Every structure is written in structure tokens, then in C-alpha cells.
Amino acid sequence: MLSFFLTWIVAAVSLVITANIVPGIAVVSFPAAMVAAVVIGLVNAVVRPILTLLTLPLTIITLGLFLFVVNAISLSLASWLAGAFSIGFAVNGFWPALFGSIVLSFVSGLIGRFVNADTLSQ
């Protein structure tokens, strides 16, 4: 249960950092980032595998680079869902979604590596 909460916090912190780095991505507050992290997690768990399967031929032709577009679509969909529920998370366009998905994965992986190193050493 602790790892679930740590993963959730890491995702929310990563989202706030990404919003500060990438213009076109906005997060109103940290609680909004926590809810947006849940929305992103749900989109990644439900919609992203379907998109990945449907775009598999294009992904193979582009040697996997189309997965960046799939990630951008997933982030945009999460933003649209967050906007529908007035959560306070917005992505304004395709390019911020594309760069934001890249930065979000990098920042999340970097923070996750430090959090996992700290929890394993205890």
C-alpha cells in the first residue's frame, strides 16, 4: 500500500514539474495534480493499450517512434477528461502534449529512481 501512495505522489510531483517546464501545460495546484495523476493513470491503463494495439502497424513502420504520438494522445485525453470534471489540469495543443509526455516520463523515471533507491535502502 505504501508503494501505491509513493507512486501516486511521484506522479503528482512529476506532473507539477512538467507543468513548470513545458509551456502549454497547466496545473492549478498540487491537489489538482494528484487528481490529474489518477486520471492519467486511468487513461494509461484503459485507453493507451487499445491505442497501442490499433496503431501497431504504424508503430512498427516508424520503428516505435509513433508511440510518442500515442503518449501525446493519452495525455491530451487525460487533459480533456480533467477539463470535463473541472480538475485544474490542461494541455493546450498537440505539441505541448508531445513534449509534455516526454518530459513527464523522464521526470517521473528520475524521481521514481530516487524514491525506489531510498525505500530499498531502509
Side-chain angles (χ1 to χ4, degrees):
M1 190 65 130
L2 179 64
S3 67
F4 170 75
F5 286 117
L6 281 175
T7 304
W8 186 23
I9 298 290
V10 165
V13 169
S14 300
L15 192 58
V16 169
I17 292 171
T18 301
N20 287 324
I21 292 174
V22 178
I25 296 181
V27 177
V28 174
S29 63
F30 188 71
M34 291 185 71
V35 176
V38 170
V39 172
I40 291 170
L42 289 173
V43 167
N44 282 340
V46 176
V47 178
R48 188 168 174 254
I50 296 168
L51 279 175
T52 304
L53 186 63
L54 290 175
T55 61
L56 188 60
L58 194 54
T59 302
I60 291 171
I61 290 171
T62 61
L63 302 175
L65 291 177
F66 194 75
L67 287 176
F68 287 125
V69 175
V70 171
N71 288 341
I73 292 169
S74 297
L75 192 61
S76 294
L77 179 61
S79 168
W80 180 78
L81 288 172
F85 293 104
S86 300
I87 291 173
F89 167 64
V91 177
N92 300 320
F94 174 76
W95 293 110
L98 182 68
F99 296 130
S101 67
I102 294 169
V103 171
L104 184 62
S105 344
F106 179 74
V107 170
S108 179
L110 193 65
I111 293 173
R113 178 172 283 185
F114 286 119
V115 169
N116 285 340
D118 290 343
T119 53
L120 290 176
S121 65
Q122 290 180 357

